[in-house]
Amino acid sequence: QLVESGGGLVQTGGSLRLSCTASGRLFSSHVLAWFRRAPGKELEYVGAIRWSNGRTYYSDSVKGRFFLSKDNAGNAVSLQMNDLKPEDTAVYSCAVGTSPSSSSTEYFRWGQGTQVTVSS
């Protein structure tokens, strides 16, 4: 099970930190990814992190603004979001897979999501 937290309302240019905590064990083969869905739009890949070595991957739309990190002890992954823009408004969900793919079909376990709203 994956549980996201940290969403909320923030002004343009602000920051938020999302967390994704896994209740089950995470293995070195696992990759944790974040996706987001804005109202009326398709699911969009945000980025991913390898549980084994912490290597990160980002979509072009968030590169340089969003940063992933992992907490081995807490069995969790964080998504630090800086310089937020209104177009970042979406429900953010984390997922577990075995490849840092941008395709949602490659992930087999999903959290419920957390709302992020960026006001202009």
Side-chain angles (χ1 to χ4, degrees), residues 63-84:
K63 194 174 295 181
R65 299 190 297 124
F66 290 14
F67 300 93
L68 286 159
S69 60
K70 66 186 183 79
D71 174 7
N72 288 12
N75 220 37
V77 166
S78 294
L79 177 65
Q80 177 67 39
M81 305 185 296
N82 301 324
D83 189 24
L84 283 161

Side-chain angles (χ1 to χ4, degrees), residues 3-119:
V3 178
E4 301 94 340
S5 62
L9 173 65
V10 65
Q11 291 185 332
T12 296
S15 298
L16 277 176
R17 188 177 184 88
L18 305 183
S19 291
C20 172
T21 302
S23 59
R25 181 180 174 183
L26 291 170
F27 296 93
S28 59
S29 61
H30 283 155
V31 170
L32 280 87
W34 286 91
F35 287 80
R36 65 186 183 184
R37 189 188 296 275
K41 295 189 176 180
E42 294 185 353
L43 194 64
E44 179 188 8
Y45 172 80
V46 174
I49 184 168
R50 290 190 181 274
W51 192 250
S52 60
N53 58 11
R55 181 176 178 180
T56 55
Y57 308 81
Y58 300 98
S59 68
D60 288 343
S61 62
V62 307
K63 194 174 295 181
R65 299 190 297 124
F66 290 14
F67 300 93
L68 286 159
S69 60
K70 66 186 183 79
D71 174 7
N72 288 12
N75 220 37
V77 166
S78 294
L79 177 65
Q80 177 67 39
M81 305 185 296
N82 301 324
D83 189 24
L84 283 161
K85 306 174 181 180
E87 52 263 43
D88 294 318
T89 295
V91 175
Y92 285 71
S93 299
C94 63
V96 174
T98 55
S99 166
S101 172
S102 62
S103 172
S104 62
T105 60
E106 296 295 316
Y107 297 86
F108 52 82
R109 189 176 304 141
W110 291 78
Q112 292 298 311
T114 184
Q115 176 70 46
V116 171
T117 303
V118 184
S119 63

